[in-house]
Every structure is written in structure tokens, then in C-alpha cells.
Amino acid sequence: MLQPASGRVWIWFSVMLALSLSIMPLPHQFEPFRPDWLAMVLIYWALALPHRANVGTAWVAGLLLDVLLGSTLGVRAMAMAITTYLAAFQFQKIRNFSLWQQAFIIGLLSLVGKLTIFWAEHLFGRASLNLAYFWSTLSTMLIWPWVFLVLRKVRRRFNIK
């Protein structure tokens, strides 16, 4: 069994897995439906262990995503930090909702993240609004219950506190 610091190892492992899923190539027709893997993982950890995964964690993970995607540095970091902050700010309420109610809230948080990214990219003149851009919010909502259950099982299995 790993030492108590191993909790951070598992959190960062799940973040790295989410980053990998975020850049994994998809067929062109499925690209608009790519779930926001990183946001879901960060929000889960912010809800489950707000003292371990917080806005700083989200900022670093967002910067890594910016680097991996080759986008304007700090845009996704800001979006991840804002969505994680909003989730962590109300974590006690959100944790008491059913999974499908949580999925709706996660969808709204994903939408906030998407709008933040669009706004920031628009400031740099690199954005054009296409309604397909928001389809990922729906897929994020639909996948949230399974992401939640898998990460909860990991948290309980490895006794992450």
C-alpha cells in the first residue's frame, strides 16, 4: 500500500488520463461530441475532496491542456479554474443531489467553461461561434454519472482522503 501522499498520485493520474482522453483523435463527425473529460475529473475531485483538488489544481491542469492543444496559453486554465471554483463553492449542496441532478449541474458548468473559452478566444480574435461547439455539453451531462461512479470507486478502493 502506498503512503498517504499517494492520494495526490491517484488524483493526478486521473487528471493525466482525462488530459489523454481530451487530446485523443476522434473521427471528424464525432469531434463536436467530445465530452469535457478534464472538467468532469476536476469537478469530481473538487466535490469529493475539496482540500486535495482545488482551483490551483484546475489551473495547472488547464495550462497543461492549453499546451497539449496548442491554444492560447491560459485560456483553458482560466475556464477550468472558474468551473472548478463554482463547483467547489457549492460542493456541499451539489454532493447531496442525485446523479442526474448533478449531471445537469455539470452540464451547466461545462457550458460556463465553453462560454469562457469562447469569450477569451474572441478577445484574441481567434474564435467563431458554431452551435456544434456546444454539443459536448450534452455528452458531458450524459457521461457524468459513469465518470462519477468510476472515480468514486477509485477513491474508495485506494482510500484516498
Side-chain angles (χ1 to χ4, degrees):
M1 200 69 168
L2 298 173
Q3 298 301 319
S6 69
R8 280 207 172 87
V9 170
W10 287 109
I11 290 170
W12 278 103
F13 177 77
S14 65
V15 167
M16 292 301 156
L17 181 62
L19 284 168
S20 299
L21 289 171
S22 296
I23 64 169
M24 180 180 68
L26 287 177
H28 181 68
Q29 56 270 44
F30 295 125
E31 189 64 35
F33 300 100
R34 179 190 303 272
D36 199 350
W37 295 108
L38 185 59
M40 284 190 288
V41 168
L42 290 170
I43 290 169
Y44 173 80
W45 290 117
L47 293 176
L49 302 170
H51 61 283
R52 285 281 181 123
N54 51 31
V55 175
T57 307
W59 182 265
V60 171
L63 278 176
L64 290 171
L65 186 59
D66 280 331
V67 169
L68 290 172
L69 293 176
S71 64
T72 306
L73 197 60
V75 169
R76 281 165 182 74
M78 180 177 61
M80 291 300 140
I82 289 171
T83 56
T84 303
Y85 170 77
L86 292 173
F89 182 68
Q90 295 292 325
F91 80 97
Q92 290 176 332
K93 287 182 184 177
I94 297 171
R95 282 166 48 167
N96 288 320
F97 293 145
S98 72
L99 273 180
W100 292 107
Q101 289 170 325
Q102 283 182 11
F104 182 73
I105 291 170
I106 299 306
L108 290 176
L109 290 172
S110 175
L111 184 62
V112 166
K114 289 283 189 187
L115 289 172
T116 303
I117 291 168
F118 172 75
W119 171 77
E121 291 286 348
H122 182 69
L123 287 177
F124 294 107
R126 296 181 55 204
S128 61
L129 187 60
N130 184 353
L131 291 179
Y133 179 70
F134 297 106
W135 279 112
S136 66
T137 301
L138 180 63
S139 62
T140 299
M141 279 177 38
L142 294 174
I143 290 176
W144 168 254
W146 289 275
V147 170
F148 175 87
L149 293 171
V150 167
L151 289 174
R152 185 175 67 177
K153 185 170 181 128
V154 167
R155 183 173 55 90
R156 288 179 176 174
R157 166 72 174 92
F158 296 106
N159 198 23
I160 301 170
K161 293 181 183 178

